[in-house]
Amino acid sequence: MLEKMAEEELPNGFVQNTIAEPNPPVAKKKRSLPGTPDPEAEVIALSPKTLMATNRFLCEICGKGFQRDQNLQLHRRGHNLPWKLKQRSVKEPRKRVYVCPETTCVHHHPSRALGDLTGIKKHFCRKHGEKKWKCEKCSKRYAVQSDWKAHAKTCGTREYKCDCGTIFSRRDSFITHRAFCDALAEETARMNAVSNMNNAVAGNINHQFMGIPLGPNMTQHLPSIFKPNVGSDDIINPTTRGLSLWMGQGSQGHEVMSTSNLQGIHQLGPCSGAMFADPFVSCSNPPPSEYHLNLVFGTKLSSSSTEELSSTTSLPLSDVKETGTQLLSVPSLYSTQHQSHQTPSTNMSATALLQKAAQIGATSTEPSFLGNFRLKFNADSQVQDGNKLCGLYGSNTLVTNLGNNAEKSGGDLSQIHPAKRRRTHNEDGAGGQTRDFLGVGVQPICHPSSINGWISS
Amino acid sequence: MDTVLFTPKEAPLFNSNQQRNVKEAMEMQSINQPQNSHTSTSISSDSIELPSASGKWAPRLLMECARAISENDSGKIHLLLWRLNELASPYGDCDQKLASYFLQALFCKATDSGQRCYETLTAVAEKRHSFDSARKLILKFQEVSPWMTFGHVASNGAILEALEGETKLHIIDISNTLCTQWPILLEALATRNDETPHLKLTVVDTASTVRSVVMNEVGQRMQKFARLMGVPFEFNVISGLNHLGELTKEGLGVQEDEAIAVNFIGALRKVEVEERGVVIRMFQSLRPRVVTVVEEEADFSSSRDDFVKCFEECLKFYTLYFQMLEESFYPTSNDRLTLERECSRNIVRVLACDDGNGTEGDSERRERGTQWSERLKEAFSPVGFSDDVMDDVKSLLKRYRAGWGLLLPQGDHESGIHLTWKEEPLVWASAWKP
């Protein structure tokens, strides 16, 4: 598979680089997870004041502050003062790690100390400090100046691309669009886009599939992620139907995180736990696993006793196969959960979720975007012409009706509006059928009979 | 009853022929003076101008007609209505559009048919509604104009700050915004804290058309999105209400351990004027942490007994609104047309329907921020928007076309901020606490 990828033309250069080196040369030191210090290290606890202090080293002559002693010494040379630069000591200095002074912080405990002084300073500012720096364009706030600067470079230049293909330059309109986009309604395939999975999922699926511990912890979180499309009473799309099977099997007997409408789950309740276990056992390699999944659904469907499941028996296996890739995405989410040591992706930063779904790129996509835009307008204006005629009568139909009624009332005012009356006259000949007057079809805003009225005039 | 005063012309009412026809009509007018029992209409030939000659014929004619109606001068009414009808078009420029929609209201007022007209317009609108069309329209409007998003950003900011640190949030959203306000808030809740609170959202849809199908779909999308964000979420829609006064604590599902925020977007104006105090007090009894009120800045309420004055206010407001729409959307936009049509219903409702008549809960009698403040001060005290929220609003406005501005409260007695367009305040946003 990797070879295949190398042969394809890839737009991003970086992917090709990773393929080129199956055996990386002796690596630079891998970055360990933050907060997992070397047990032999010396633990240093600095006070908040010390951490926040930017320029601790002061020149005695002019009072100028410096972040490092070395810098101060070099400055002292300018005052013709004796200066001494400390050499890096020959013996291996004992490694130092730092703890966060904030008692409620996870990094307060020495076992979770951070190894870098600058790192602990930034951490303290970011998490426990006041956010003094603000972006002008989007008013996002930062506690650390370097964070703010880094953001300012990319703010406004980033584009957000929704799964439906629309591109946004503004984050807020992207978020709002995303919430209502039909792409979101396609359910959980999205979750993969935001997880850490790479594209070579198929090979991994069955492996992780089998490795998942189906303890109560796991299944408890399923409902919050895989809630089936319970709002609609009628047919759910095949993907979610498949998912609701998983749902029901997983969640029965467990507390559901959120209390919203979960009729689907309850209906699926009485599935036996054994059904859940079986699929895992039966999968061994990717192609068969897909097949097995279908088989599982097929057999389980037919053996089910609940109404909900039997209603999905009508789900043809071919449907499941088609949505096979999406169904396969289901276990890959499980695998993500399996890998992460903490509670699953609900704790992943929502910004990260959106960012993964977003596309970070230059604003060079404009031409195509505008191209689509223009097309849209042409379509609109065409529709507009058709609508003009319809709409005129659409909005004035009521006037003609009123004209009729006004006539009958017999007051002085009822005689006014020959113009209105004219339409009344036309109205009389109206039939009930809509006619395709302009050949563009009658738009829903038109009142059908009034078009006939116009035509007959 | 069938006396025809003029020979009906078969000419179409479209722009290409309009000018010529109007000229002919004017000439006919001068020849055939209407015969009626009143003294001959005293409209001199000076006022018979070609529409192209004077820029602002529409407000002038419309005001004249409104005056004529209030004076019950039927000859003049007849003439002016006729003249407006010749010039008006929902597809023309701003003047023509305003003439068209206000003409409809004037006609209804003159013929006392406002209620029926309103019901017909509502029925037509209801037929057109679908989730897709509503969503498309509202998102497009928010994209081209800060009219709605201004209120959303200010309210979200106030709500987030007031509910900071709470774990069980209950937001009662009384609006017709189809929950477009909430994705941003959900994202903020998810990214802001380490501990994401539980959010319950209860929506009272104030649209005057029945659209439970649409709200169902909206609810589903919101739930999915909340899941994507990782925010524990519960969603309820209150439907079947006639008016806000029917709401109760139990009906809203308010529980003791929840931190409540009530969000009124263009909602208080839907309450009949006399009921507004009662409704506000009802919400006070829910003991919310924060109440956000966003309304359009216009006064159709204090002048409701004076037709001409009310008409003038209405005309002024909608002139600005239509101009704003024209400059925000592309010229051939269908979305703009739909928004304008929605106005026509509101205009008829305000000008040609009696208050408290027929369907309630659709009053549309707007009040200015100062007037709302007086009402709200009886139950709540104002909260200023924090600097952070103000910065958010300012950067929001920067993302739109030029012309939009922010007006801060002027004196101590004023509260809330205004969205201005071409220096005119149009939307008012405020926050209140118990």
Side-chain angles (χ1 to χ4, degrees), chain A residues 98-118:
Chain A
Y98 304 88
V99 286
C100 179
E102 176 61 39
T103 43
T104 59
C105 183
V106 68
H107 292 296
H108 180 67
H109 197 270
S111 65
R112 301 300 305 277
L114 296 173
D116 180 40
L117 177 61
T118 318

Side-chain angles (χ1 to χ4, degrees), chain B residues 238-270:
Chain B
I238 308 254
S239 52
L241 267 188
N242 275 334
H243 60 102
L244 292 185
E246 291 174 7
L247 287 171
T248 60
K249 196 168 178 175
E250 295 74 32
L252 287 166
V254 167
Q255 278 152 21
E256 290 308 317
D257 57 343
E258 292 171 336
I260 313 274
V262 187
N263 183 65
F264 291 101
I265 308 274
L268 286 178
R269 67 170 181 257
K270 304 270 188 173

Side-chain angles (χ1 to χ4, degrees), chain B residues 107-375:
Chain B
F107 180 72
C108 290
K109 176 76 177 174
T111 55
D112 206 16
S113 52
Q115 189 57 37
R116 210 171 315 129
C117 174
Y118 180 73
E119 282 163 15
T120 311
L121 285 172
T122 307
V124 170
E126 254 169 39
K127 256 191 273 178
R128 300 204 272 254
H129 260 147
S130 72
F131 171 71
D132 270 343
S133 64
R135 168 191 63 172
K136 187 170 157 290
L137 176 68
I138 207 173
L139 289 181
K140 186 71 187 166
F141 186 35
Q142 291 181 3
E143 198 185 301
V144 301
S145 163
W147 187 274
M148 293 176 76
T149 47
F150 168 80
H152 290 348
V153 168
S155 299
N156 280 345
I159 291 173
L160 283 168
E161 283 175 4
L163 299 183
E164 175 97 36
E166 296 287 340
T167 47
K168 271 193 83 175
L169 312 184
H170 185 176
I171 297 181
I172 302 174
D173 178 22
I174 309 180
S175 68
N176 61 351
T177 57
L178 298 181
C179 293
T180 48
Q181 178 175 351
W182 307 116
I184 301 279
L185 183 120
L186 278 167
E187 197 253 352
L189 284 179
T191 56
R192 186 184 59 155
N193 295 325
D194 296 319
E195 278 295 319
T196 309
H198 179 281
L199 173 64
K200 180 159 91 178
L201 182 64
T202 302
V203 177
V204 180
D205 186 27
T206 56
S208 43
T209 52
V210 172
R211 43 185 204 178
S212 39
V213 172
V214 175
M215 286 312 296
N216 265 341
E217 187 65 37
V218 166
Q220 285 173 35
R221 303 284 167 117
M222 291 305 297
Q223 275 168 338
K224 282 175 190 145
F225 186 74
R227 218 178 316 143
L228 178 69
M229 289 291 104
V231 177
F233 186 68
E234 187 182 331
F235 183 83
N236 296 312
V237 175
I238 308 254
S239 52
L241 267 188
N242 275 334
H243 60 102
L244 292 185
E246 291 174 7
L247 287 171
T248 60
K249 196 168 178 175
E250 295 74 32
L252 287 166
V254 167
Q255 278 152 21
E256 290 308 317
D257 57 343
E258 292 171 336
I260 313 274
V262 187
N263 183 65
F264 291 101
I265 308 274
L268 286 178
R269 67 170 181 257
K270 304 270 188 173
V271 180
E272 293 295 337
V273 178
E274 289 79 22
E275 305 283 314
R276 287 175 184 178
V278 173
V279 169
I280 289 173
R281 270 192 292 285
M282 194 291 283
F283 281 95
Q284 181 193 22
S285 72
L286 302 181
R287 285 203 292 274
R289 305 293 173 98
V290 64
V291 175
T292 47
V293 180
V294 176
E295 275 294 338
E296 292 172 359
E297 182 80 2
D299 180 8
F300 303 160
S301 150
S302 60
S303 54
R304 62 192 188 277
D305 294 324
D306 179 346
F307 178 71
V308 175
K309 184 125 196 327
C310 194
F311 187 90
E312 191 176 5
E313 276 291 315
C314 219
L315 185 58
K316 214 170 74 168
F317 175 75
Y318 281 104
T319 302
L320 284 167
Y321 185 71
F322 272 56
Q323 282 171 355
M324 182 276 295
L325 287 182
E326 188 165 87
E327 293 199 18
S328 302
F329 282 92
Y330 276 85
T332 53
S333 165
N334 255 348
D335 292 322
R336 189 188 62 185
L337 192 63
T338 314
L339 287 169
E340 288 164 355
R341 281 217 194 89
E342 277 180 29
C343 291
S344 76
R345 272 192 295 142
N346 297 340
I347 294 171
V348 168
R349 182 67 177 82
V350 171
L351 294 175
C353 298
D354 293 333
D355 289 332
N357 223 8
T359 44
E360 304 169 54
D362 53 2
S363 161
E364 297 298 338
R365 284 207 180 270
R366 291 155 171 77
E367 290 182 14
R368 295 191 190 282
T370 42
Q371 292 165 284
W372 289 118
S373 293
E374 276 182 34
R375 291 188 190 277

Side-chain angles (χ1 to χ4, degrees), chain A residues 113-182:
Chain A
L114 296 173
D116 180 40
L117 177 61
T118 318
I120 192 75
K121 280 184 180 176
K122 284 194 178 172
H123 156 81
F124 184 70
C125 282
R126 277 189 199 125
K127 281 289 177 61
H128 314 297
E130 182 202 340
K131 299 191 171 181
K132 293 184 290 188
W133 305 97
K134 174 175 276 183
C135 172
E136 288 165 353
K137 291 186 199 159
C138 68
S139 77
K140 202 164 172 206
R141 287 157 224 105
Y142 295 93
V144 180
Q145 186 182 17
S146 52
D147 292 345
W148 171 71
K149 275 193 186 164
H151 166 83
K153 278 190 192 163
T154 59
C155 184
T157 60
R158 159 189 276 172
E159 288 198 329
Y160 303 88
K161 185 175 177 192
C162 180
D163 291 318
C164 68
T166 326
I167 299 177
F168 298 86
S169 56
R170 273 163 43 190
R171 191 159 181 266
D172 51 354
S173 34
F174 168 61
I175 292 175
T176 313
H177 163 90
R178 193 84 172 79
F180 289 94
C181 184
D182 289 328

Side-chain angles (χ1 to χ4, degrees), chain A residues 170-301:
Chain A
R170 273 163 43 190
R171 191 159 181 266
D172 51 354
S173 34
F174 168 61
I175 292 175
T176 313
H177 163 90
R178 193 84 172 79
F180 289 94
C181 184
D182 289 328
L184 184 70
E186 291 310 310
E187 248 324 308
T188 54
R190 301 294 150 256
M191 297 302 282
N192 292 330
V194 309
S195 73
N196 293 330
M197 300 284 293
N198 57 31
N199 288 336
V201 148
N204 292 335
I205 288 178
N206 61 318
H207 168 71
Q208 279 133 0
F209 221 7
M210 295 177 65
I212 297 174
L214 294 175
N217 226 9
M218 289 301 303
T219 50
Q220 186 172 16
H221 294 291
L222 289 178
S224 64
I225 295 160
F226 286 115
K227 202 163 293 130
N229 203 351
V230 290
S232 58
D233 295 327
D234 39 30
I235 311 207
I236 328 172
N237 65 47
T239 313
T240 53
R241 237 179 284 172
L243 289 173
S244 18
L245 249 185
W246 293 111
M247 263 307 308
Q249 296 162 3
S251 67
Q252 49 109 11
H254 294 290
E255 284 243 332
V256 179
M257 258 168 77
S258 131
T259 52
S260 49
N261 196 355
L262 292 171
Q263 295 156 356
I265 297 178
H266 296 318
Q267 284 167 2
L268 294 174
C271 315
S272 67
M275 286 164 77
F276 208 15
D278 282 346
F280 299 122
V281 170
S282 56
C283 293
S284 45
N285 349 340
S289 81
E290 186 174 345
Y291 168 74
H292 275 292
L293 268 178
N294 298 339
L295 198 56
V296 162
F297 285 135
T299 49
K300 296 314 166 195
L301 283 171

